[in-house]
Amino acid sequence: MTSSVPAVTPSRTALVVGATGIVGQNLAARLVAEGWTVHGLARQPRYDVAGVLPVAADLLDPPSLTGALKDMQPSHVFFCSWMRQATEEENCRVNAAMVRNLFAALPEPGLLVHAALTTGMKHYLGPFEAYASGEPPVTPFREEVPRLDLRNFYYDQEDALYEAAERHGFSWSVHRPHTVIGYAVGNAMNMGSTLAVYATICRETGRPFVFPGSPVQWDGLTDLTDARQLARQLLWASTSAAGRNEAFNIVNGDLVRWKWLWPRLAAWFGIEAAPYPGHATSLEETLSGDAELWEQIAAKYGLTESRIGRLASAWHTDADLGRPVECVTDMSKSRLAGFVDYQYTPDSFTDLFTRLRAERLIP
């Protein structure tokens, strides 16, 4: 793979907000590999990640946030965090406040060079309360389409970013991945680990490995986003003149059909893919009674995580795979601007499965 990411100097200092999540973890690893000084902010940061300086802070507690950041002067901020609330109204209030609080807490925000915000496909499909239920934009999704006439916390986060950038004079970028596939433990939106747990349970019990999604997703074209591909684009946009003050879609660069991909995932686990039943089947319901079973599997194989909820987020996988509309994303904007990296989607899954096995998270 030819990388479009420019070389950087060790003097660049990043604050990765949400450093324990699926996006933040992979981004932090990329930045460390590129020689950056990396501060990883989370409510419960990890202290065992080489090269990442942990910052324990609550984005909804301004005094403690100000205290945690009082000696910090990052050149770049990467905001990769959100908190799910009971209603979209609350999502908007809470998640926009997190962005505003972060920039208000930095002692010298005027020294920032660039701030990047990661959002996602709900920008085009609508919030959880009205997810893919209205008339979505014509596919492939393009960055220039108008916002939906709905409350959406992604829009509020964007607006908070724009306001801070205008006030303090730094450049910004917004990144809109499709479903993110990558390594993280305890993440609220993790299809790859969820499917690994599901396939493992099917192998151990003999249950059929049934694709749980809609006929549209089974038969239609779709794309996905490797967390490593997203990290590459975040780095490119934050260090390239062409990435300043722009919103970019980010996907792997290939297209797949689940009816083609599903048997390949099954084969990695040494099982057969079950025939598709022609309708969605809730994975959340399928796995709802399996907490004790996973504990037994973990004990049998000496796994390091016996809590199924730390690995599987079936509710979100149901939302992604149950969409009744086509979801294909256009990448022309960033390609024309100079970001030309590509990721083969089947490898996104098998690389993740290999790491999960190596770290004894699945047998």
Side-chain angles (χ1 to χ4, degrees):
M1 180 186 298
T2 301
S3 176
S4 57
V5 176
V8 299
T9 63
S11 62
R12 285 182 169 149
T13 301
L15 174 60
V16 178
V17 181
T20 60
I22 193 170
V23 177
Q25 280 193 50
N26 287 275
L27 172 62
R30 178 74 190 202
L31 293 171
V32 169
E34 295 287 336
W36 289 56
T37 299
V38 180
H39 300 270
L41 187 151
R43 283 176 295 173
Q44 296 179 317
R46 292 181 58 182
Y47 291 84
D48 60 345
V49 181
V52 178
L53 305 170
V55 180
D58 185 341
L59 292 165
L60 295 176
D61 184 352
S64 71
L65 183 61
T66 299
L69 301 180
K70 64 183 177 64
D71 297 320
M72 194 172 298
Q73 293 184 353
S75 60
H76 294 70
V77 164
F78 299 91
F79 200 97
C80 315
S81 182
W82 74 289
M83 290 181 63
R84 189 183 185 192
Q85 305 298 309
T87 67
E88 192 59 22
E89 192 73 26
E90 278 296 288
N91 275 332
C92 292
R93 182 186 67 81
V94 168
N95 288 284
M98 289 163 58
V99 177
R100 288 194 299 268
N101 291 346
L102 185 280
F103 290 112
L106 286 172
E108 296 286 348
L111 297 179
L112 278 174
V113 175
H114 187 89
L117 170 69
T118 299
T119 62
M121 288 296 104
K122 287 188 287 297
H123 185 94
Y124 305 114
L125 293 168
F128 287 119
E129 292 177 4
Y131 192 56
S133 61
E135 186 66 30
V138 174
T139 54
F141 300 138
R142 291 184 168 87
E143 295 92 340
E144 67 268 18
V145 299
R147 290 176 172 181
L148 299 173
D149 188 21
L150 296 166
R151 290 302 308 274
N152 190 321
F153 80 86
Y154 283 168
Y155 304 162
D156 288 63
Q157 283 190 313
E158 285 185 349
D159 290 343
L161 173 66
Y162 303 154
E163 291 165 7
E166 183 175 3
R167 182 181 311 115
H168 300 297
F170 55 81
S171 62
W172 56 266
S173 58
V174 174
H175 303 261
R176 299 171 185 159
H178 200 162
T179 301
V180 179
I181 307 301
Y183 178 84
V185 177
N187 184 257
M189 301 187 296
N190 197 328
M191 179 190 287
S193 292
T194 300
L195 295 183
V197 168
Y198 177 38
T200 298
I201 288 174
C202 289
R203 187 183 64 200
E204 291 297 307
T205 63
R207 294 181 196 170
F209 187 54
V210 178
F211 178 73
S214 71
V216 170
Q217 297 305 309
W218 177 250
D219 290 313
L221 288 170
T222 193
D223 46 34
L224 295 159
T225 304
D226 191 302
R228 299 167 299 183
Q229 171 81 336
L230 173 54
R232 291 190 286 264
Q233 193 195 61
L234 283 160
L235 178 52
W236 165 80
S238 70
T239 56
S240 167
R244 296 174 186 160
N245 304 328
E246 297 287 350
F248 296 109
N249 293 331
I250 173 63
V251 288
N252 284 347
D254 58 358
L255 295 171
V256 296
R257 298 183 197 272
W258 278 104
K259 66 180 180 182
W260 174 86
L261 182 58
W262 195 251
R264 286 159 175 78
L265 302 187
W268 194 93
F269 288 92
I271 58 177
E272 296 287 332
Y276 181 59
H279 57 78
T281 306
S282 171
L283 188 58
E284 185 174 22
E285 290 182 10
T286 299
L287 299 180
S288 62
D290 286 337
E292 184 177 349
L293 173 61
W294 188 258
E295 290 177 358
Q296 295 169 358
I297 292 172
K300 177 180 177 181
Y301 291 101
L303 303 184
T304 58
E305 182 54 73
S306 62
R307 295 165 292 179
I308 194 171
R310 292 277 295 165
L311 298 174
S313 51
W315 68 273
H316 195 268
T317 297
D318 279 341
D320 280 350
L321 297 182
R323 295 168 182 159
V325 296
E326 178 184 71
C327 297
V328 179
T329 313
D330 184 76
M331 278 277 286
S332 299
K333 183 177 179 179
S334 62
R335 284 173 176 157
L336 291 170
F339 179 78
V340 295
D341 287 65
Y342 165 86
Q343 171 67 47
Y344 184 54
T345 291
D347 286 351
S348 297
F349 285 96
T350 57
D351 288 353
L352 171 62
F353 298 158
T354 299
R355 181 171 178 184
L356 292 174
R357 179 170 287 172
E359 299 198 9
R360 294 178 28 241
L361 289 161
I362 61 172

